[in-house]
Amino acid sequence: MKFICNKEELTKAINIVIRAAYGKYQKSILECIHIVAKDGLLSLDAFDGTTAMKTEVYADVAEAGQTAIPARIFYDIVSKFPSGELAFERDGNTILVKGENSKASLQEMDAEQFPVFPELEGEELSINRKVLGSMIDKTAFSAYVGEDKPIFTGLLFETDPEAGKLNVVGIDGIRLARQSAKVSCKQKIRSVIPAKTLKDVARIIGDEDSEIKLYFGQSSCFILCDNTVIYTRPIDGEFMNYESIIPKEYKTRVRVEGKLIARSLDLVLVLAKEDGSNLIRMEVGNQSMKFGAASEYGVAQDELPIFMEGEVLKIAFNAKYLLDVFRVVEEKEVFMEFDSRLKPCVIRPIEGDSFLYLVVPVNVAS
């Protein structure tokens, strides 16, 4: 194997696939990046047992071949070489890397042992990459973090062909996040994709205003973006019927500016987080909403003007869960709907159904 490629383009490619390299144990083939050089292209892929990523860069290939090099070492070495062209050549069981006055010899592993990249399959879904990235960013924070509820560590992708709509949903037991977007789809899709993988996807696809393709199979999901292919296994299990936990009625509805809520929550959270509870108390009145938090370090309070209909209310929340929502809401104004101090708060747009958030309150003495 012998080839020359641009250092910056190679570093960018490594940065993509290294997200799928298995980093828990050393001396495993899955800790490597698999590199194939042929026909003027350098293909790089990595696989952690659940997710695989593959991308390509141009290269001047003198001798075709393949190798497998531990991902962390490969990235650290390549990134520290000077800019410009890098030359790679096999020398026994090592790969020689040369660039200007720098050189390194990297021990390789048996590339024949590396898993074959999965074959593309499944129902096709086209979506704007900027829209998809936004949907992931605005729901992934609500996915469950832990090992006892694996189905909720993913985000549900579900389509409605008749309405031409895609929903992306995350639930962690305390909150729910749903983002909706218009898409062109022929079949119903219902698949739970690991949130960790989707966070990487959002970073890789960027925010360009162009279409990318997703393919959902019975045991696979593929995302195709430019010259990069991302594969992951959907999470096994039945995602709950989340519609059943969304309140259909409210006794109190507040119309309020999202940025003002975020500022207030930021303020009171300074003291609320000191005892580890993040507890804030909220009072919804006829013309204002009051926030308060206390700790051994002091007391913080804030008050916002609102438009309210229905009953006055006193309720408490983990401020962080509310703040996570209002940090991603872009609309100037939203509705906050309450049924009682023990029922979830629903946050939705003034018009339409592009998003919905649900946050469960904290049960404290009134």
Side-chain angles (χ1 to χ4, degrees):
M1 186 174 74
K2 187 176 182 180
F3 63 87
I4 297 172
C5 65
N6 179 271
K7 179 245 178 156
E8 282 70 28
E9 292 181 4
L10 178 59
T11 303
K12 182 178 178 181
I14 297 172
N15 257 322
I16 291 173
V17 301
I18 199 171
R19 302 171 190 271
Y22 189 63
K24 193 171 183 179
Y25 299 110
Q26 299 292 317
K27 306 304 180 183
S28 163
I29 192 65
L30 295 185
E31 72 166 316
C32 295
I33 291 178
H34 179 222
I35 305 159
V36 179
K38 68 176 182 179
D39 301 330
L41 287 174
L42 199 64
S43 172
L44 295 86
D45 65 293
F47 181 50
D48 66 5
T50 299
T51 299
M53 298 185 184
K54 178 170 67 175
T55 194
E56 295 177 334
V57 295
Y58 290 108
D60 181 2
V61 181
E63 295 179 11
Q66 65 174 335
T67 185
I69 301 174
R72 181 179 58 82
I73 296 298
F74 190 46
Y75 173 76
D76 287 347
I77 286 291
V78 170
S79 65
K80 289 175 174 56
F81 264 76
S83 297
E85 291 187 338
L86 298 182
F88 292 77
E89 183 176 359
R90 173 171 283 119
D91 181 16
N93 291 327
T94 63
I95 300 296
L96 300 179
V97 188
K98 297 179 182 179
E100 288 191 4
N101 299 320
S102 304
K103 62 181 180 179
S105 177
L106 302 179
Q107 193 70 37
E108 64 178 343
M109 297 181 72
D110 184 5
E112 295 291 340
Q113 296 181 14
F114 205 87
V116 176
F117 200 88
E119 289 289 331
L120 184 67
E121 63 171 357
E123 297 292 339
E124 180 181 318
L125 175 69
S126 294
I127 188 170
N128 182 284
R129 70 169 76 184
K130 187 175 183 178
V131 171
L132 178 61
S134 177
M135 294 179 80
I136 294 170
D137 288 341
K138 293 178 179 180
T139 54
F141 67 83
S142 67
Y144 185 72
V145 179
E147 298 180 355
D148 57 322
K149 301 176 184 177
I151 191 67
F152 296 120
T153 62
L155 298 180
L156 171 67
F157 278 63
E158 61 174 4
T159 60
D160 182 344
E162 292 184 6
K165 186 167 72 170
L166 167 69
N167 291 328
V168 177
V169 184
I171 300 175
D172 68 0
I174 301 295
R175 55 191 169 177
L176 176 152
R178 183 182 71 192
Q179 286 282 321
S180 303
K182 291 289 186 180
V183 296
S184 176
C185 53
K186 297 179 181 179
Q187 301 291 332
K188 280 192 174 184
I189 294 168
R190 188 173 174 87
S191 185
V192 182
I193 310 303
K196 177 182 177 296
T197 299
L198 290 170
K199 290 177 183 178
D200 287 335
V201 167
R203 297 185 185 98
I204 291 169
I205 64 177
D207 59 356
E208 293 182 22
D209 192 17
S210 59
E211 294 284 304
I212 60 174
K213 294 186 182 297
L214 287 74
Y215 293 83
F216 294 90
Q218 187 172 359
S219 59
S220 65
C221 173
F222 292 86
I223 296 114
L224 278 62
C225 178
D226 299 330
N227 60 345
T228 298
V229 182
I230 301 165
Y231 155 85
T232 192
R233 292 181 185 144
I235 301 173
D236 292 331
E238 185 63 31
F239 202 87
M240 73 178 297
N241 177 18
Y242 68 89
E243 293 280 2
S244 67
I245 66 173
I246 300 174
K248 302 299 187 290
E249 299 177 347
Y250 60 85
K251 294 179 181 176
T252 305
R253 174 187 261 187
V254 171
R255 180 169 179 158
V256 66
E257 288 191 34
K259 289 184 178 179
L260 292 182
I261 286 269
R263 183 191 60 77
S264 292
L265 291 170
D266 251 335
L267 172 63
V268 297
L269 188 57
V270 172
L271 292 176
K273 67 184 179 183
E274 288 301 325
D275 65 357
S277 70
N278 298 325
L279 179 68
I280 63 158
R281 295 176 185 268
M282 181 190 300
E283 294 185 24
V284 180
N286 290 320
Q287 295 181 322
S288 68
M289 178 182 288
K290 297 178 181 179
F291 297 89
S295 76
E296 61 179 310
Y297 295 100
V299 176
Q301 296 178 328
D302 201 17
E303 185 173 356
L304 301 178
I306 60 170
F307 294 97
M308 189 270 276
E309 57 179 289
E311 303 173 3
V312 297
L313 175 71
K314 292 183 179 180
I315 194 169
F317 288 98
N318 181 318
K320 182 183 180 302
Y321 293 149
L322 277 180
L323 186 55
D324 284 344
V325 172
F326 285 102
R327 278 177 172 159
V328 299
V329 168
E330 297 179 357
E331 282 73 2
K332 182 178 179 181
E333 291 186 315
V334 298
F335 283 133
M336 296 180 71
E337 297 171 353
F338 309 86
D339 183 62
S340 75
R341 70 179 188 87
L342 299 179
K343 297 288 184 66
C345 167
V346 176
I347 301 158
R348 62 173 84 241
I350 301 298
E351 296 181 358
D353 61 352
S354 59
F355 66 83
L356 182 143
Y357 294 96
L358 182 152
V359 181
V360 174
V362 178
N363 185 6
V364 297
S366 57

